[in-house]
Amino acid sequence: DLTDLEENLVAVQLRQFVDICSLCSSHLLLHTGPMNAVELDSLLLSCFPCQVFEFTSEMTVNEALSTLVDNVDQSVSKCEDYIIPVVVGTDFDLLSGIVQHEVLEVIATKHVPSTLGGYSISSQFVFIATHTRPISHPRVLRMLDKFLLSMSLQNADRRSAISLQECQSLVTGRQLLANVHTHLKIEHFIRDIVVAIRTHSDVKLGPSPSSTEACIQAAKAVAVLSEFNFVAPMHVIAVVFEVLAHRFALKDLDPNFEEPPVSHSAVWAEKKRILQEVLEIAPAPI
């Protein structure tokens, strides 16, 4: 269980990650650990206005998509123009692999399949999918890059590497984001990190090439929230783990992409160890 102080620090970090996703028009994968539904709802609603709904193991593709779309529509209709709606689907891991895949397709394309009417939904929302168990279906693993960031409430850093301001205006923030400069050396630094993880001896499935651009976008958002007009190495380091953690799989802990026999905390710790090794051989530019 989180102490009051830890819960406050986690809430601050969660708000920061949602701000980053808002600026980048993207989504968040949230591991909740042992936190029960009441505690989770309380934490989420204390962080930001959001529409929360629950996935269940019995849901068919159509039922899950209808529930998602209905909640997105409700959230969009209630939000002011300057606020991006936040939609939270809890227990995403309870869905079957096929249903998870179809939900992520709609999140990525913003288009409902023809079986439900074949229409487009709003592109202006942040989707948070919560899970307690590792997500391990092979087809779904390759689609987790639809989430810009992943976060674990159970294993969240209790410190903030840099101080971030809250995003007061989405329009202004996105205008600033478009004008943030990223030096070629920073792009090479990020690319070197991605390649080093992909070729690491303990990694079975490495980050896709699109991970480099995701890291750049997230680092630019961190720069905006730090009131910088350029990306510094500290902005990359502040968010690189959360961008990449869900984009690669480990050899020993989930060798067949089946249900890993170890805890999420153990997987999270091992991935942090790998990233630390990578940062030692891919030093930040000066």
Side-chain angles (χ1 to χ4, degrees):
D1 293 339
L2 299 177
T3 66
D4 289 343
L5 176 59
E6 288 175 330
E7 184 170 318
N8 182 59
L9 293 173
V10 167
V12 169
Q13 189 176 38
L14 182 55
R15 281 196 295 269
Q16 290 175 347
F17 286 170
V18 169
D19 276 350
I20 291 169
C21 288
S22 297
L23 290 175
C24 297
S25 301
S26 195
H27 312 290
L28 173 67
L29 183 64
L30 182 64
H31 176 257
T32 58
M35 184 175 287
N36 64 45
V38 174
E39 292 171 333
L40 178 61
D41 285 356
S42 175
L43 174 63
L44 291 169
L45 293 171
S46 72
C47 291
F48 35 71
C50 56
Q51 184 90 10
V52 182
F53 69 95
E54 182 181 359
F55 289 119
T56 67
S57 58
E58 296 82 15
M59 279 183 168
T60 64
V61 169
N62 282 357
E63 288 170 342
L65 294 184
S66 295
T67 303
L68 169 67
V69 171
D70 286 348
N71 279 275
V72 169
D73 288 345
Q74 290 177 38
S75 185
V76 170
S77 67
K78 291 189 295 188
C79 263
E80 304 288 345
D81 290 340
Y82 60 90
I83 299 175
I84 193 162
V86 178
V87 181
V88 183
T90 63
D91 296 326
F92 181 73
D93 51 307
L94 294 185
L95 298 173
S96 70
I98 293 174
V99 179
Q100 289 177 359
H101 181 273
E102 293 305 311
V103 168
L104 293 183
E105 277 286 352
V106 171
I107 292 299
T109 63
K110 306 298 189 294
H111 189 78
V112 175
S114 57
T115 53
L116 290 177
Y119 60 92
S120 296
I121 62 174
S122 172
S123 61
Q124 298 301 311
F125 68 95
V126 172
F127 175 56
I128 301 177
T130 79
H131 67 110
T132 56
R133 301 176 303 171
I135 296 171
S136 55
H137 191 282
R139 289 181 67 193
V140 179
L141 277 174
R142 289 165 175 79
M143 291 192 69
L144 291 184
D145 60 0
K146 307 309 176 188
F147 296 99
L148 178 66
L149 303 172
S150 60
M151 177 182 176
S152 172
L153 298 180
Q154 189 177 13
N155 303 290
D157 288 335
R158 303 296 185 240
R159 56 174 175 77
S160 179
I162 54 179
S163 177
L164 302 184
Q165 303 298 315
E166 287 192 16
C167 183
Q168 300 295 336
S169 168
L170 185 62
V171 173
T172 301
R174 286 183 174 174
Q175 289 173 343
L176 293 171
L177 185 75
N179 293 316
V180 170
H181 175 67
T182 308
H183 195 280
L184 191 60
K185 288 183 178 180
I186 293 291
E187 294 183 6
H188 288 171
F189 173 49
I190 293 172
R191 183 200 60 197
D192 289 346
I193 292 172
V194 171
V195 171
I197 291 177
R198 193 181 302 146
T199 56
H200 194 282
S201 59
D202 293 330
V203 172
K204 184 174 182 67
L205 176 68
S208 68
S210 65
S211 300
T212 299
E213 181 59 28
C215 284
I216 291 172
Q217 287 302 308
K220 289 172 70 173
V222 173
V224 168
L225 297 173
S226 306
E227 301 182 320
F228 278 64
N229 62 1
F230 63 92
V231 175
M234 65 178 178
H235 301 138
V236 177
I237 293 170
V239 79
V240 66
F241 178 75
E242 286 76 15
V243 174
L244 297 179
H246 58 294
R247 298 170 191 262
F248 68 98
L250 306 175
K251 281 183 179 177
D252 295 336
L253 299 184
D254 43 2
N256 300 310
F257 302 118
E258 296 174 353
E259 196 69 32
V262 293
S263 68
H264 185 276
S265 295
V267 174
W268 201 259
E270 182 66 7
K271 287 184 174 183
K272 282 197 170 182
R273 180 192 66 79
I274 289 172
L275 179 62
Q276 191 57 47
E277 285 184 10
V278 165
L279 289 175
E280 290 174 2
I281 63 173
I286 300 174

